[in-house]
Amino acid sequence: MDVLINVFVALHIIGIAALLGGFLTRMKAMGEGTARFGPAMLHGALTMLVTGVALVGLNQADGQAVNNVKIGVKLAILVVILGLVYVKRDEERVDKAVFGAVGGLTLANIFIATLWT
């Protein structure tokens, strides 16, 4: 079970990397007002959602304690990120505030995952 959990953790980190990497590579465009959400950002957010749900299930099945409040907060943030990226994915230009919000919420999700014990 530990190997399976570790595989899903690795996939979850890949999803975070795709979402955050997509944001960071387009920060210059955000300053110019020409930023847009790329497919990697949408796929990264979806990967995070699927692997996160799988991780909660696998950890509970393994008898490990899961902090449901922490998971709920992370899920709520991810749903907002996913909603923004999905709705605005086809727009030629995304507002700076919306694009920045996705980056900020992504960082918040990372810090919640690592600092909330």
Side-chain angles (χ1 to χ4, degrees):
M1 185 71 89
D2 289 337
V3 172
L4 188 59
I5 290 173
N6 287 335
V7 166
F8 276 97
V9 168
L11 292 172
H12 195 69
I13 292 171
I14 290 169
I16 293 168
L19 180 59
L20 187 61
F23 171 77
L24 292 175
T25 57
R26 295 172 190 245
M27 279 187 66
K28 183 176 179 184
M30 182 179 76
E32 298 167 355
T34 60
R36 59 180 304 189
F37 295 126
M41 295 177 77
L42 177 62
H43 296 147
L46 286 170
T47 301
M48 287 174 59
L49 178 65
V50 171
T51 57
V53 169
L55 282 168
V56 170
L58 288 171
N59 281 314
Q60 286 181 338
D62 197 28
Q64 298 178 24
V66 176
N67 186 342
N68 290 319
V69 176
K70 175 181 173 180
I71 298 303
V73 170
K74 287 179 54 56
L75 178 62
I77 292 172
L78 184 57
V79 166
V80 171
I81 291 170
L82 194 53
L84 288 172
V85 173
Y86 185 77
V87 168
K88 303 283 188 178
R89 72 187 186 282
D90 291 331
E91 291 187 11
E92 197 62 38
R93 293 181 179 183
V94 177
D95 186 44
K96 289 180 186 181
V98 173
F99 196 78
V102 167
L105 288 171
T106 301
L107 288 174
N109 230 355
I110 292 168
F111 284 119
I112 289 170
T114 56
L115 298 178
W116 186 338
T117 54

